[in-house]
Amino acid sequence: MIWIDYTDAAPIYEQIVSRYKNLIVKGALAPNEKLPSVRTLAMELSINPNTIQKAYGELERQGFCYTVKGKGIFVAENKKLKDIKRREILEKLSVIAKEAEESGIELSVLIGWLEERKNREGGKWA
């Protein structure tokens, strides 16, 4: 269900958090759906179980999942998850827009680039 990019500079646990957040926000994982156990996911990804535990802890801290003692970890029913993800993306865009402005790149150039890229990919982000 998820994969790790070993060429990515992001730590493995952050990649796991990011992948699960995206699956949850997109609705690919339903509310109250059980996530793989720490041991199972660690074996599937061939990584240390402590890394999975750290990722699951971060997902829980951010409100994307919850733990039922003795049962496992489950996707949260929180209706605000899309808003949380939206805010995260807008914050990243804000940083990029500021960097572009400082580099002399106009907003119209950024918007044009985004529109061109989406059109080139048939209306979907690549």
Side-chain angles (χ1 to χ4, degrees), residues 4 22-23 27 57 86:
I4 302 300
N22 286 333
L23 289 171
R86 182 177 184 269

Side-chain angles (χ1 to χ4, degrees), residues 23 32-33 54 86 94 101:
L23 289 171
N32 301 311
E33 184 174 340
K54 186 174 183 178
R86 182 177 184 269
S94 178
E101 180 182 46

Side-chain angles (χ1 to χ4, degrees), residues 4-68:
I4 302 300
D5 180 0
Y6 292 101
T7 62
D8 191 336
I12 292 172
Y13 88 94
E14 286 181 3
Q15 291 184 48
I16 295 167
V17 169
S18 177
R19 305 277 192 286
Y20 271 117
K21 284 169 62 172
N22 286 333
L23 289 171
I24 292 167
V25 169
K26 288 179 182 177
L29 293 173
N32 301 311
E33 184 174 340
K34 188 175 187 217
L35 297 181
S37 71
V38 169
R39 182 177 294 167
T40 300
L41 189 56
M43 287 174 46
E44 285 177 12
L45 298 175
S46 299
I47 59 176
N48 190 312
N50 292 334
T51 303
I52 305 299
Q53 189 62 48
K54 186 174 183 178
Y56 279 180
E58 183 63 20
L59 284 166
E60 188 166 6
R61 188 187 69 72
Q62 293 181 23
F64 284 86
C65 62
Y66 63 94
T67 300
V68 176

